[in-house]
Amino acid sequence: MSSILKAENIVKQYAAHRALDDVSIDVPKGCIYGLLGPNGAGKSTTINVLLDYVRPTTGTVQVLGYDAQTRTQAIHERIGVLPDGYSLYDRLTGREHIELAAQLKHTKVNVGAVCDRIGLDAADADRLAGAYSKGMCQRLALGMALVGDPELLILDEPTSGLDPHGVSRINNVIET
């Protein structure tokens, strides 16, 4: 089975602090893969290196067969990302957020289909995101990551702060 994501011997050094120490990951296509560990273990740093938001001190990363440092744009056009600490625009509706994601990805989108997938009804899609609950914000951000039918989803703490029902909804979207 071919790898959709492969990192080899990643080290990330910040002055005297080593955030990542010889991390290697090989994710086969079609798999759900998780990074588990306590706060400060390097999970978000690993994701930032995979996405080329942060350059590793040493090591290599390939995503979708591309070198993550030299083909970043090609990778980002084909993936969906839900970062930890994302922000939504309070004065845009859910629908407008999804349309914005489509514009940024240079693709067309069926907003209704995305909303159905994330469990956002039509009335909520037309409400301002500033009035959304934490769970609705999380689902909307996931919906934005799903725009363009990405080949790979990279989700950083997608269920953080959600109640059990919200966690279940997010997990169902991830599994489908």
Side-chain angles (χ1 to χ4, degrees):
M1 192 178 280
S2 64
S3 297
I4 196 162
L5 186 149
K6 188 170 189 153
E8 293 181 313
N9 309 107
I10 299 297
V11 172
K12 180 58 187 172
Q13 186 81 31
Y14 292 103
H17 174 69
R18 184 167 281 207
L20 301 176
D21 188 14
D22 198 32
V23 173
S24 294
I25 300 170
D26 191 354
V27 181
K29 189 172 184 174
C31 288
I32 295 175
Y33 189 90
L35 300 175
L36 301 175
N39 291 344
K43 299 177 303 290
S44 292
T45 301
T46 300
I47 290 171
N48 288 335
V49 168
L50 298 175
L51 294 169
D52 196 44
Y53 295 158
V54 172
R55 291 277 166 103
T57 306
T58 62
T60 61
V61 177
Q62 286 196 348
V63 179
L64 303 172
Y66 295 114
D67 180 288
Q69 292 182 19
T70 62
R71 301 295 309 275
T72 307
Q73 176 138 2
I75 292 167
H76 284 255
E77 289 172 354
R78 297 171 58 193
I79 67 172
V81 177
L82 172 57
D84 185 34
Y86 67 86
S87 294
L88 298 175
Y89 296 101
D90 288 347
R91 292 182 276 179
L92 292 182
T93 65
R95 179 178 310 281
E96 290 168 331
H97 277 89
I98 293 169
E99 290 168 345
L100 175 62
Q103 287 176 347
L104 293 172
K105 291 184 177 185
H106 308 287
T107 190
K108 295 188 185 296
V109 66
N110 179 332
V111 175
V114 172
C115 288
D116 285 345
R117 187 165 180 198
I118 61 172
L120 199 63
D121 66 33
D124 288 332
D126 290 326
R127 283 184 31 221
L128 296 178
Y132 281 11
S133 69
K134 169 76 174 171
M136 291 173 70
C137 288
Q138 201 82 335
R139 285 185 282 136
L140 177 57
L142 178 58
M144 293 172 69
L146 293 170
V147 167
D149 197 24
E151 296 173 50
L152 173 67
L153 281 174
I154 297 180
L155 313 174
D156 192 357
E157 307 252 4
T159 60
S160 176
L162 297 182
D163 63 20
H165 180 68
V167 170
S168 178
R169 281 195 117 141
I170 295 285
N171 288 339
N172 286 338
V173 172
I174 292 168
E175 291 172 357
T176 60

